Amino acid sequence: MPASAPLLRPFPLLLLWILLAACAPGAATTPAVVERPRTVEISVPAAAPAAAPADVVVAAEPEPEPGTAVPVTRADPWWGEPLAPVTVVVWGDFECPFTARHMATLEQLKQAYGPDRLRVVWKHFPLSFHKNARPAHLAAETVFRLGGAEAFWRFHQLAFANQRSLTPGSFEAWAAEAGVDREAFRAAFEQQQHAPKIDQDIEAGRAAQIRGTPASFINGVFISGAQPIDKVRTVLDEQLRAAEDLRRSGVPRERLYAVLSAQNKARAPTLPALEDTTVWKVPVDGSPTRGNPSAPVTLVMFVDLECRFCRRAAPVVDGLAKKYGEQLRVVFKHNPLAFHPRAEPAAELALEARAQKGDAAFWSAYELLRAGSLEDADLAAHAKALGLDVARAQKAIAARRHAARIERDQRLAEDIGASGTPHFFINGRRLVGDQPAEVFESLIDEQLARAAKLVAAGTPPAKVYDALQKDAKAAAPLERILAPAPTRDNPGKGAKAGAKVTIQMFADFQCPFCKRVQPTLDEIIAAYPGKVRVVFRHMPLPLHTLAPLAAEASVEAFRQKGDAGFWAMAQRLWEDQSEAGLSREALERHAAAIGLDVAKLVTALDARAHRAAVEADQKLAASLHIKGTPSFAINDYFVFGEQPAARFKRIVERALGPHEPPTMESLHGAQKPAAQPSAAQPPVMPGFLGAKHLLVMYAGSRRAPPHVTRTRDEARALAKQALREAQQGAKFEDLVARYSDEPGAGTRGGDLGKFPKGAMVPEFEQALEKVAVGALSGVVETPFGFHVILRTQ
């Protein structure tokens, strides 16, 4: 997954794009509608009668051989003819914007080449730092197993078109839209029935030396990242010619892929192994521990007690504790996942065991809970077996007595990208999933050697973990947004205007996610009586053709009957989001049902009297870089999508606490200051520079993503080539799309907007100040790679 190059020193303007690289979906990255996959037709001799006798066997066309270099089987979702001469195998990540861009390119190529010449095969490769990726892949695989390739590609399209709405609710809705039975999907998804295929694809990707997404093999020819369409087309054409040559030499069609993929893979250079050496800040923070508290190695594990992969990993961790003894400390963090309903009650019991009888009882509870069923009767039996006060334990579970501890662990997991379970950190080094013991041992041995050096240099053994954590990477800051305060013209509910927390919701009455999040918002209002006000902002999306008029009807309801009238109308609009429910006739029926003056509503809708009010909110959303619904400004914290109540509560708690001024590093979409900042928001100082740039990275440059494997000299040569083209009159935005490795650069044309002097790294800023506005720099090297800069201010 490509990562952006941060240029700022104290407040990296681009760091948000680095850490949240999947936050900028747009039209350019949305795959087109997918054609129904074609199947192999049964070949019948021309002279055969229309109806063959029962004893005549009609032979199907032979199946292709999977090959061994980049294996493909019918267990993989595919598009196109199985015997097509060119096969593109894509390892992708549903939360990666570059995968989305690459899939959009492949859509164009599918239209150009057709299914007879091109086959596209999908492999799962969710990246560990994308918290929603693995659940999305599990949902996609579930859809494929239940509905086949056509349903998969429909789900695939919806997921990439809505990358910031990757939630269980969305998955279920998209599965139904793809033609899969909701109940069957929900059951298979919640039980993670098809998760092994994801792990198989990940292992296959690692064996193929894949380090990031997207990663593609075109008949075995490796393509890294989202490359320009011309580059991909060149490889496709070469492979079509190679396939024709093989056919002329007598190789049968079903052998083409196996032969070509083996030949091309054999010619490819072997890449050196690359691992993530980031040390993350993972505080022990009073969590249950076992082992020597002064151990040189600390293993922190995030666990869901209902997760079968966590259960499968548990004996491995037990074996590690036995093998390393006093050298290993194990720390337990809770991360019950939303689709495991019994995980949180089980976590409550384990923590209650600790509250009643200490850490030893917690670990005994963990051993019992990971072994079997977690229903209420089972939890009561476990409490009894542990010697707990059973009635007290049952009350603790029912009252969620230990919810604060669980939510604190979940908040940490969310902050450091420990999304799926099990998730491990060994002295801060990330290790994801149900891994073999040898993988753990390799990293533990490495950390033991590192700890020995620290101790030899004078660090007390009990302080080794603290020393390693001192300079560890902290969680990314919460995304912030400089939204202006609402006025009396904005409908709201909950606390009175001027409440401690205002949640401004940008929503669309035709958006199903806006509908589904309403009970969550009501729950938040109830949880914080008198402290939280929810304010509505109109944002009808272009794809929802009925939404604008529905929005205008809601404005009229507000004009006639205030907040109560607005929310009554909103409730009816969300109840039925079909064409019939949002038609002009329906709007008039809704008005009558809630007691509005229907004649006034008709006049207002005919005259489009409230269009300006709706468009004002839309313009505000655009100025704040808000591109989808529902989006929320919680004071100045930004949240996107249909999030669970726990997520909203965590943000509300932050908003209720001492105000933390937003930094440029944390601003949503590198947002420029809003025209009317609220009193709580600090002013932005004048004295800004402005620039567009393209950035060519190389292996080893700062923040270079794993897929960038070019050398420093190769990167410099590419940057020089881009500069020559710019000097010859090529459009700068086009060059950015072709050459830049910065996430989101193509959609912004490389525009960095305006930034204060002193904010950029010295090499960048010094080069920028040497050129006039409208002029180009030369090739500028910074720790992040090679830049070509166009000054705009």
Side-chain angles (χ1 to χ4, degrees):
M1 174 80 179
S4 175
L7 300 173
L8 299 170
R9 286 182 303 204
F11 307 121
L13 178 62
L14 303 180
L15 186 57
L16 190 60
W17 303 327
I18 304 161
L19 300 176
L20 301 175
C23 68
T29 63
T30 304
V33 176
V34 181
E35 180 179 333
R36 180 185 178 93
R38 293 179 56 181
T39 56
V40 178
E41 296 179 357
I42 296 176
S43 59
V44 181
D55 58 347
V56 174
V57 178
V58 180
E61 199 167 326
E63 288 292 319
E65 292 191 10
T68 55
V70 188
V72 171
T73 73
R74 285 303 183 95
D76 300 311
W78 77 97
W79 177 94
E81 293 286 1
L83 297 181
V86 177
T87 294
V88 180
V89 183
V90 183
W91 271 269
D93 176 315
F94 280 114
E95 201 170 352
C96 166
F98 301 93
T99 303
R101 184 191 303 174
H102 184 56
M103 295 312 299
T105 297
L106 289 182
E107 287 299 326
Q108 298 178 55
L109 295 172
K110 283 158 61 176
Q111 298 297 322
Y113 287 82
D116 294 320
R117 296 197 295 165
L118 178 63
R119 174 175 60 154
V120 177
V121 177
W122 175 264
K123 298 276 192 180
H124 302 286
F125 204 79
L127 299 173
S128 61
F129 52 85
H130 282 156
K131 63 182 180 180
N132 299 315
R134 186 176 179 94
H137 283 267
L138 176 61
E141 183 64 23
T142 302
V143 168
F144 177 55
R145 297 296 186 91
L146 296 177
E150 181 179 6
F152 169 84
W153 289 110
R154 178 59 180 156
F155 181 96
H156 183 280
Q157 172 205 358
L158 290 166
F160 277 120
N162 300 277
Q163 277 190 311
R164 302 193 68 190
S165 297
L166 299 178
T167 64
S170 300
F171 303 151
E172 186 175 320
W174 299 338
E177 190 169 339
V180 172
D181 179 77
R182 279 181 180 268
E183 294 301 323
F185 170 83
R186 187 183 302 125
F189 178 72
E190 290 178 353
Q191 295 170 22
Q192 301 192 44
Q193 290 179 1
H194 305 298
K197 177 58 165 63
I198 299 169
D199 295 325
Q200 291 164 14
D201 283 358
I202 292 171
E203 289 306 313
R206 288 172 178 161
Q209 296 185 290
I210 289 171
R211 304 165 178 177
T213 56
S216 305
F217 288 90
I218 303 177
N219 280 1
V221 177
F222 181 56
I223 298 290
S224 175
Q227 298 294 335
I229 191 169
D230 291 343
K231 180 173 181 178
V232 182
R233 187 189 293 271
T234 298
V235 180
L236 288 176
D237 291 341
E238 289 173 354
Q239 290 308 302
L240 282 172
R241 289 191 292 270
E244 291 171 5
D245 291 343
L246 284 180
R247 287 288 286 138
R248 283 195 292 269
S249 70
V251 176
R253 289 179 64 199
E254 64 271 19
R255 288 276 298 147
L256 288 177
Y257 176 67
V259 172
L260 285 170
S261 61
Q263 289 178 351
N264 291 321
K265 197 77 178 350
R267 297 188 188 109
T270 301
L271 300 176
L274 183 68
E275 61 177 332
D276 178 11
T277 58
T278 304
V279 177
W280 289 89
K281 194 174 289 294
V282 190
V284 174
D285 191 28
S287 294
T289 64
R290 65 177 177 181
N292 177 14
S294 301
V297 177
T298 295
L299 183 154
V300 181
M301 58 182 187
F302 288 83
V303 173
D304 173 312
L305 291 167
E306 197 176 348
C307 166
R308 64 190 180 98
F309 301 102
C310 295
R311 293 178 177 183
R312 208 161 66 186
V316 175
V317 177
D318 292 344
L320 295 171
K322 184 176 181 181
K323 176 177 179 176
Y324 289 96
E326 293 294 299
Q327 294 181 307
L328 182 67
R329 172 176 60 163
V330 178
V331 179
F332 192 102
K333 300 281 188 181
H334 296 274
N335 192 14
L337 303 177
F339 49 85
H340 284 155
R342 301 304 302 171
E344 185 169 353
E348 288 281 353
L349 175 61
L351 288 168
E352 178 61 21
R354 186 189 191 206
Q356 291 191 29
K357 302 185 75 173
D359 273 7
F362 173 88
W363 290 104
S364 296
Y366 169 52
E367 291 176 5
L368 287 173
L369 292 164
R370 76 194 196 197
S373 177
L374 301 175
E375 298 304 319
D376 287 340
D378 302 301
L379 299 184
H382 293 329
K384 184 176 180 181
L386 291 164
L388 305 182
D389 180 329
V390 177
R392 178 180 164 189
Q394 289 175 319
K395 288 180 181 177
I397 295 169
R400 300 184 66 238
R401 185 175 297 160
H402 306 289
R405 170 80 256 180
I406 295 169
E407 289 172 2
R408 184 162 57 181
D409 287 353
Q410 288 179 308
R411 184 163 56 249
L412 175 62
E414 180 179 312
D415 288 346
I416 60 177
S419 51
T421 55
H423 214 106
F424 305 93
F425 293 87
I426 298 175
N427 276 4
R429 290 276 298 279
R430 187 190 304 273
L431 191 60
V432 182
D434 173 23
Q435 300 281 357
E438 310 85 74
V439 177
F440 285 92
E441 290 168 3
S442 175
L443 187 50
I444 290 172
D445 291 342
E446 177 187 321
Q447 292 303 308
L448 283 172
R450 186 177 184 186
K453 291 180 180 178
L454 287 173
V455 172
T459 301
K463 297 294 184 180
V464 166
Y465 189 68
D466 293 341
L468 292 171
Q469 287 282 287
K470 183 179 178 182
D471 296 320
K473 182 177 180 179
L478 289 172
E479 204 169 0
R480 309 295 283 274
I481 188 164
L482 302 181
T487 69
R488 294 178 181 177
D489 293 328
N490 304 115
K493 62 180 177 179
K496 295 180 180 179
K500 291 183 178 180
V501 176
T502 297
I503 301 177
Q504 298 190 62
M505 172 177 59
F506 292 80
D508 172 320
F509 287 115
Q510 207 171 344
C511 167
F513 309 107
C514 295
K515 171 183 178 179
R516 289 209 299 260
V517 80
Q518 297 311 306
T520 301
L521 294 175
D522 290 338
E523 181 182 341
I524 299 302
I525 289 172
Y528 299 92
K531 295 181 179 179
V532 175
R533 180 171 178 81
V534 174
V535 171
F536 192 95
R537 296 278 194 178
H538 297 279
M539 192 178 167
L541 301 175
L543 70 159
H544 290 154
T545 56
L546 301 175
L549 199 61
E552 292 178 33
S554 72
V555 176
E556 177 61 24
F558 179 60
R559 295 285 190 269
Q560 290 192 32
K561 291 202 166 189
D563 288 341
F566 172 84
W567 292 107
M569 175 63 81
Q571 179 63 33
R572 295 189 66 87
L573 295 172
W574 274 317
E575 280 176 2
D576 184 0
Q577 294 180 306
S578 68
E579 186 172 348
L582 295 176
S583 66
R584 172 62 184 267
E585 294 77 11
L587 298 180
E588 295 176 16
R589 287 198 306 272
H590 297 329
I594 64 174
L596 298 186
D597 184 325
V598 178
K600 286 185 178 180
L601 177 121
V602 169
T603 300
L605 294 185
D606 287 343
R608 304 300 301 272
H610 304 306
R611 179 164 59 182
V614 174
E615 290 178 346
D617 280 351
Q618 289 178 299
K619 289 178 182 177
L620 172 62
S623 73
L624 297 173
H625 299 267
I626 295 174
K627 299 180 180 179
T629 57
S631 289
F632 304 90
I634 303 178
N635 283 7
D636 54 14
Y637 292 98
F638 180 72
V639 175
F640 178 80
E642 179 206 355
Q643 300 290 341
R647 169 71 171 160
F648 280 101
K649 287 179 180 178
R650 286 196 284 271
I651 305 298
V652 168
E653 291 290 345
R654 293 289 290 269
L656 286 170
H659 183 259
E660 306 167 6
T663 65
M664 294 188 71
E665 170 189 1
S666 65
L667 288 181
H668 170 67
Q671 178 196 337
K672 298 174 185 178
Q676 305 171 36
S678 65
Q681 296 159 354
V684 178
M685 299 301 293
F688 282 75
L689 300 170
K692 296 181 180 180
H693 82 136
L694 64 83
L695 170 63
V696 183
M697 305 175 82
Y698 56 87
S701 62
R702 192 179 301 176
R703 301 286 183 184
H707 80 275
V708 174
T709 57
R710 67 174 72 92
T711 66
R712 183 168 173 270
D713 288 342
E714 289 171 340
R716 183 192 289 109
L718 275 178
K720 287 182 177 179
Q721 181 177 327
L723 176 60
R724 283 195 298 271
E725 294 183 34
Q727 291 170 338
Q728 292 167 3
K731 189 175 180 182
F732 194 80
E733 290 77 8
D734 293 341
L735 296 176
V736 170
R738 287 173 55 194
Y739 290 100
S740 187
D741 293 312
E742 176 196 342
T747 58
R748 302 189 323 276
D751 193 357
L752 297 174
K754 299 176 184 179
F755 42 87
K757 290 182 180 181
M760 294 293 181
V761 293
E763 301 91 337
F764 187 97
E765 189 162 305
Q766 289 166 11
L768 179 62
E769 291 184 328
K770 289 178 181 178
V771 299
V773 174
L776 287 164
S777 71
V779 172
V780 179
E781 183 175 6
T782 75
F784 307 104
F786 295 93
H787 308 254
V788 176
I789 308 170
L790 173 64
R791 184 167 180 177
T792 58
Q793 177 170 323

